Amino acid sequence: MNKLDRRARAQILHLLCEGQSIRAITRLTGASKNTVAKLLVDAGHACAAYQDKTLRNLTCKRVQMDEIWSFVYAKAAPASAGDVWTWTAIDADTKLIVSWLLGARDLDAAMAFTHDLESRLANRIQITSDGHAPYLQAVDAAFGGEVDYAMLIKLYGAAPEAEVRYIPAKCIGARKEPKSGNPEWKHISTSYAERSNLTMRMHMRRFTRLTNAFSKKVENHAAAIALHTMYYNFVRIHQTLKVTPAMAAGVTDKLWEMDDLVAMLEQWELANFKPEYQFVVRQYAFGKGHSVSVLWRGGEVDSIFGFACEHEALEWIREKSQAWLLDAKAANADK
């Protein structure tokens, strides 16, 4: 059995937030790969739901937007695999990641991203993006002109030679272009968004270039991003601010710890009617007899064999399963 208690969950989530791969975490903790992956997905859903509800009516003044590239399963693949982009918006003052979106780098994604950003704000803001063309139509559609918007268009030199193709073209300058309202010239910048994306790439192995730690499933990739933003916003103290971005933005008045994150996950599980365990009676594929399988919330399975018939297995569940569960939890706590 590989049932996880709260302490084990906190340890695994902390390792995920610090950039460890699932394979490395299985070696460090002894938890199975399926258990870690299941915990990641559940935590991702919980973090996304919590922040979607909490990050509302924000009094930001200056927001910067950018996109970061990665891929799922294989580069330039069709359907549910291939290149994916994470769109991010960060408050330049509190460093809070206000909104993010996983999708393609096209107009549809830009529209969804900017509309989500607009829905979280309580006042007029100044926005800076890079020179990606879809931002022009998307910002206008989402904000309707009630925004001070500018683009920072970077200028690049010649592309590197083929033998060094992993080195990007050198940036030789940037041009500021106001697009809407009256943006302050000195605040036309995307440096905080770019630094935030660098943190994302360094703290998630699946974003690291030229490794085999890339995401194999879109759901896992999205869950990792949601968990990272939760950790970045609520748990990790910003070196300059000396508090977390969520505290600086007035979203929370306390410094979150991993135990708080686990407690939030447990509340999400209860709200989504996820039982801690389930009993399933199975008939042997070969020969006569039945078994009882215990399906744990973390994805692990225990089996009790030796029942002559289904009635005997159901009787064990009614009369003896609670004592077995107590022994199983005690044995797991001693590990």
Side-chain angles (χ1 to χ4, degrees):
M1 186 181 68
N2 204 354
K3 174 72 170 56
L4 298 176
D5 58 18
R6 174 176 284 194
R7 183 177 180 181
R9 283 179 143 196
Q11 181 188 15
I12 291 174
L13 289 177
H14 187 261
L15 290 171
L16 286 168
C17 293
E18 288 296 326
Q20 295 291 339
S21 65
I22 291 179
R23 187 185 300 273
I25 293 173
T26 60
R27 292 197 303 266
L28 291 169
T29 64
S32 74
K33 179 180 177 181
N34 289 340
T35 298
V36 177
K38 181 69 165 52
L39 178 59
L40 168 63
V41 171
D42 287 348
H45 284 298
C47 291
Y50 182 85
Q51 292 185 96
D52 181 58
K53 179 180 179 180
T54 305
L55 301 182
R56 298 286 177 180
N57 296 316
L58 301 173
T59 57
C60 306
K61 296 180 180 179
R62 291 173 290 274
V63 172
Q64 300 177 7
M65 303 188 299
D66 199 12
E67 323 86 53
I68 178 173
W69 171 86
S70 57
F71 69 93
V72 173
Y73 190 72
K75 297 179 181 178
S80 60
D83 297 342
V84 291
W85 292 81
T86 305
W87 302 66
T88 60
I90 186 172
D91 182 351
D93 297 307
T94 65
K95 311 305 182 292
L96 181 77
I97 298 179
V98 178
S99 176
W100 70 94
L101 176 75
L102 185 66
R105 196 169 183 251
D106 57 15
L107 179 59
D108 289 341
M111 294 286 282
F113 174 59
T114 52
H115 276 83
D116 180 75
L117 172 62
E118 190 278 333
S119 70
R120 301 181 185 281
L121 302 171
N123 49 263
R124 185 184 180 110
I125 62 169
Q126 175 169 329
I127 296 179
T128 306
S129 73
D130 58 20
H132 189 38
Y135 277 124
L136 287 170
Q137 183 175 341
V139 170
D140 182 64
F143 291 88
E146 295 298 318
V147 66
D148 301 313
Y149 173 49
M151 279 185 165
L152 184 70
I153 301 175
K154 293 187 176 180
L155 308 174
Y156 294 94
E161 297 297 329
E163 60 268 18
V164 289
R165 60 192 177 96
Y166 291 112
I167 300 176
K170 185 177 180 180
C171 180
I172 58 176
R175 184 175 70 251
K176 298 180 179 181
E177 290 189 3
K179 298 296 182 180
S180 178
N182 187 30
E184 292 186 60
W185 193 263
K186 65 179 181 180
H187 293 303
I188 299 176
S189 171
T190 58
S191 59
Y192 292 123
E194 293 168 6
R195 184 60 182 85
S196 174
N197 286 349
L198 176 61
T199 299
M200 185 179 293
R201 194 174 290 284
M202 294 177 67
H203 277 257
M204 281 187 282
R205 286 283 292 163
R206 61 192 68 239
F207 275 80
T208 305
R209 300 180 188 273
L210 305 181
T211 73
N212 62 353
F214 54 85
S215 296
K216 313 306 186 291
K217 297 180 180 179
V218 172
E219 184 181 18
N220 290 10
H221 196 76
I225 295 170
L227 179 60
H228 167 80
T229 56
M230 188 77 192
Y231 181 75
Y232 178 90
N233 281 339
F234 288 85
V235 181
R236 180 175 176 267
I237 295 178
H238 194 278
Q239 291 184 351
T240 302
L241 300 174
K242 307 304 179 185
V243 293
T244 64
M247 294 172 68
V251 175
T252 182
D253 59 358
K254 72 170 186 176
L255 173 63
W256 279 48
E257 297 181 352
M258 296 309 300
D259 285 343
D260 297 309
L261 201 154
V262 173
M264 180 271 297
L265 169 60
E266 291 173 345
Q267 290 297 317
W268 178 85
E269 290 172 334
L270 290 174
N272 285 271
F273 307 103
K274 297 193 66 177
E276 183 181 3
Y277 55 84
Q278 296 182 43
F279 291 109
V280 177
V281 176
R282 305 182 189 275
Q283 185 175 9
Y284 294 162
F286 300 97
K288 298 180 179 180
H290 290 71
S291 66
V292 174
S293 293
V294 185
L295 310 181
W296 294 99
R297 178 187 292 159
E300 293 301 313
V301 179
D302 283 309
S303 296
I304 298 91
F305 300 96
F307 301 101
C309 60
E310 182 180 5
H311 175 75
E312 185 177 325
L314 292 173
E315 186 175 300
W316 180 90
I317 293 175
R318 286 193 301 269
E319 299 181 1
K320 299 182 179 179
S321 61
Q322 294 305 310
W324 181 91
L325 287 169
L326 291 174
D327 292 340
K329 290 180 180 180
N332 186 66
D334 292 337
K335 291 183 178 180

